[in-house]
Short mmCIF file of all heavy atoms in Angstrom, two decimals:
data_model
loop_
_atom_site.label_atom_id
_atom_site.label_comp_id
_atom_site.label_asym_id
_atom_site.label_seq_id
_atom_site.Cartn_x
_atom_site.Cartn_y
_atom_site.Cartn_z
N VAL A 305 -21.85 179.50 32.23
CA VAL A 305 -20.53 179.30 32.83
C VAL A 305 -19.53 178.94 31.71
O VAL A 305 -19.88 178.26 30.75
CB VAL A 305 -20.59 178.16 33.88
CG1 VAL A 305 -19.20 177.86 34.44
CG2 VAL A 305 -21.55 178.54 35.00
N ASP A 306 -18.28 179.40 31.85
CA ASP A 306 -17.29 179.16 30.80
C ASP A 306 -16.59 177.80 30.94
O ASP A 306 -16.32 177.14 29.95
CB ASP A 306 -16.24 180.28 30.81
CG ASP A 306 -16.87 181.60 30.38
OD1 ASP A 306 -17.27 181.69 29.21
OD2 ASP A 306 -16.98 182.51 31.23
N ILE A 307 -16.25 177.42 32.18
CA ILE A 307 -15.51 176.17 32.37
C ILE A 307 -16.19 175.36 33.48
O ILE A 307 -16.38 175.86 34.60
CB ILE A 307 -14.03 176.43 32.75
CG1 ILE A 307 -13.33 177.22 31.63
CG2 ILE A 307 -13.31 175.11 33.02
CD1 ILE A 307 -11.89 177.62 31.97
N SER A 308 -16.56 174.12 33.18
CA SER A 308 -17.14 173.23 34.19
C SER A 308 -16.11 172.16 34.53
O SER A 308 -15.58 171.50 33.64
CB SER A 308 -18.41 172.58 33.66
OG SER A 308 -18.91 171.66 34.62
N ILE A 309 -15.85 172.03 35.83
CA ILE A 309 -14.83 171.08 36.30
C ILE A 309 -15.50 170.00 37.14
O ILE A 309 -16.44 170.28 37.87
CB ILE A 309 -13.77 171.83 37.15
CG1 ILE A 309 -13.03 172.83 36.26
CG2 ILE A 309 -12.79 170.85 37.80
CD1 ILE A 309 -12.06 173.72 37.02
N GLN A 310 -15.01 168.78 37.01
CA GLN A 310 -15.50 167.71 37.88
C GLN A 310 -14.35 166.87 38.39
O GLN A 310 -13.42 166.58 37.64
CB GLN A 310 -16.38 166.75 37.07
CG GLN A 310 -17.83 167.06 36.99
CD GLN A 310 -18.57 165.83 36.46
OE1 GLN A 310 -18.64 164.79 37.12
NE2 GLN A 310 -19.09 165.94 35.27
N SER A 311 -14.46 166.45 39.64
CA SER A 311 -13.64 165.35 40.11
C SER A 311 -14.37 164.08 39.68
O SER A 311 -15.42 163.74 40.23
CB SER A 311 -13.49 165.38 41.63
OG SER A 311 -12.99 164.13 42.06
N LEU A 312 -13.84 163.39 38.69
CA LEU A 312 -14.47 162.15 38.21
C LEU A 312 -14.26 161.03 39.22
O LEU A 312 -14.90 159.98 39.15
CB LEU A 312 -13.89 161.75 36.85
CG LEU A 312 -13.95 162.82 35.75
CD1 LEU A 312 -13.25 162.30 34.48
CD2 LEU A 312 -15.38 163.20 35.43
N THR A 313 -13.31 161.27 40.15
CA THR A 313 -13.06 160.35 41.27
C THR A 313 -14.36 160.05 42.01
O THR A 313 -14.52 158.97 42.58
CB THR A 313 -12.07 161.02 42.24
OG1 THR A 313 -10.95 161.50 41.50
CG2 THR A 313 -11.61 160.09 43.33
N LYS A 314 -15.27 161.02 42.02
CA LYS A 314 -16.50 160.89 42.81
C LYS A 314 -17.53 160.07 42.04
O LYS A 314 -17.36 158.88 41.90
CB LYS A 314 -17.01 162.29 43.18
CG LYS A 314 -15.93 163.18 43.84
CD LYS A 314 -15.48 162.65 45.18
CE LYS A 314 -14.15 163.22 45.67
NZ LYS A 314 -14.09 164.66 45.78
N TYR A 315 -18.59 160.67 41.49
CA TYR A 315 -19.67 159.85 40.94
C TYR A 315 -19.35 159.18 39.61
O TYR A 315 -19.87 158.11 39.32
CB TYR A 315 -20.95 160.67 40.79
CG TYR A 315 -21.63 160.87 42.11
CD1 TYR A 315 -21.70 162.12 42.69
CD2 TYR A 315 -22.15 159.79 42.81
CE1 TYR A 315 -22.30 162.30 43.92
CE2 TYR A 315 -22.75 159.95 44.04
CZ TYR A 315 -22.82 161.21 44.59
OH TYR A 315 -23.40 161.37 45.81
N VAL A 316 -18.57 159.82 38.76
CA VAL A 316 -18.37 159.22 37.43
C VAL A 316 -17.65 157.88 37.58
O VAL A 316 -18.12 156.86 37.07
CB VAL A 316 -17.63 160.19 36.48
CG1 VAL A 316 -17.20 159.46 35.21
CG2 VAL A 316 -18.56 161.35 36.12
N CYS A 317 -16.53 157.86 38.28
CA CYS A 317 -15.87 156.56 38.51
C CYS A 317 -16.70 155.74 39.49
O CYS A 317 -16.96 154.58 39.26
CB CYS A 317 -14.43 156.78 38.95
SG CYS A 317 -13.42 157.43 37.59
N GLY A 318 -17.12 156.37 40.59
CA GLY A 318 -18.21 155.81 41.38
C GLY A 318 -17.91 154.66 42.33
O GLY A 318 -18.81 154.18 43.00
N HIS A 319 -16.67 154.20 42.40
CA HIS A 319 -16.40 153.04 43.25
C HIS A 319 -15.22 153.26 44.19
O HIS A 319 -14.61 152.31 44.68
CB HIS A 319 -16.19 151.79 42.39
CG HIS A 319 -17.44 151.36 41.66
ND1 HIS A 319 -17.91 152.05 40.56
CD2 HIS A 319 -18.32 150.36 41.89
CE1 HIS A 319 -19.04 151.48 40.15
NE2 HIS A 319 -19.30 150.45 40.94
N SER A 320 -14.87 154.55 44.42
CA SER A 320 -13.83 154.91 45.38
C SER A 320 -12.49 154.23 45.08
O SER A 320 -11.77 153.85 46.01
CB SER A 320 -14.27 154.55 46.82
OG SER A 320 -15.53 155.11 47.08
N ASP A 321 -12.17 154.07 43.81
CA ASP A 321 -10.93 153.36 43.50
C ASP A 321 -10.14 153.95 42.34
O ASP A 321 -9.17 153.35 41.88
CB ASP A 321 -11.22 151.87 43.23
CG ASP A 321 -12.32 151.67 42.17
OD1 ASP A 321 -12.77 152.67 41.56
OD2 ASP A 321 -12.73 150.51 41.96
N VAL A 322 -10.55 155.11 41.81
CA VAL A 322 -9.84 155.72 40.69
C VAL A 322 -9.77 157.24 40.92
O VAL A 322 -10.75 157.83 41.35
CB VAL A 322 -10.58 155.49 39.34
CG1 VAL A 322 -9.80 156.12 38.19
CG2 VAL A 322 -10.82 154.02 39.08
N PHE A 323 -8.62 157.84 40.62
CA PHE A 323 -8.51 159.30 40.63
C PHE A 323 -8.58 159.81 39.20
O PHE A 323 -7.85 159.33 38.33
CB PHE A 323 -7.16 159.75 41.21
CG PHE A 323 -7.16 159.84 42.71
CD1 PHE A 323 -6.55 158.85 43.47
CD2 PHE A 323 -7.75 160.91 43.35
CE1 PHE A 323 -6.54 158.93 44.86
CE2 PHE A 323 -7.75 161.00 44.73
CZ PHE A 323 -7.15 160.01 45.49
N MET A 324 -9.43 160.79 38.94
CA MET A 324 -9.41 161.48 37.65
C MET A 324 -10.22 162.76 37.73
O MET A 324 -11.11 162.90 38.57
CB MET A 324 -9.94 160.60 36.52
CG MET A 324 -9.45 161.13 35.17
SD MET A 324 -9.89 160.15 33.77
CE MET A 324 -9.31 158.56 34.24
N GLY A 325 -9.88 163.72 36.88
CA GLY A 325 -10.63 164.98 36.82
C GLY A 325 -10.82 165.41 35.39
O GLY A 325 -10.18 164.88 34.47
N MET A 326 -11.74 166.35 35.19
CA MET A 326 -11.94 166.89 33.84
C MET A 326 -12.36 168.35 33.92
O MET A 326 -12.92 168.80 34.91
CB MET A 326 -12.98 166.06 33.07
CG MET A 326 -14.42 166.24 33.50
SD MET A 326 -15.34 167.25 32.33
CE MET A 326 -16.35 168.19 33.45
N ALA A 327 -12.03 169.08 32.86
CA ALA A 327 -12.52 170.45 32.69
C ALA A 327 -13.11 170.53 31.29
O ALA A 327 -12.46 170.12 30.32
CB ALA A 327 -11.39 171.45 32.87
N ALA A 328 -14.34 171.04 31.19
CA ALA A 328 -15.05 171.11 29.91
C ALA A 328 -15.34 172.56 29.56
O ALA A 328 -15.69 173.35 30.42
CB ALA A 328 -16.36 170.31 29.99
N ALA A 329 -15.18 172.88 28.28
CA ALA A 329 -15.41 174.26 27.84
C ALA A 329 -15.61 174.29 26.33
O ALA A 329 -15.36 173.30 25.63
CB ALA A 329 -14.23 175.15 28.23
N SER A 330 -16.04 175.45 25.84
CA SER A 330 -16.19 175.67 24.40
C SER A 330 -15.43 176.95 24.03
O SER A 330 -15.07 177.75 24.91
CB SER A 330 -17.67 175.82 24.04
OG SER A 330 -18.38 174.65 24.35
N GLY A 331 -15.21 177.14 22.74
CA GLY A 331 -14.67 178.39 22.22
C GLY A 331 -13.31 178.74 22.80
O GLY A 331 -12.44 177.88 22.98
#
Side-chain angles (χ1 to χ4, degrees):
V305 176
D306 293 294
I307 299 175
S308 176
I309 295 174
Q310 271 194 67
S311 165
L312 306 176
T313 310
K314 309 294 162 57
Y315 284 112
V316 169
C317 290
H319 294 74
S320 308
D321 52 6
V322 181
F323 275 104
M324 200 176 307
M326 73 104 218
S330 298

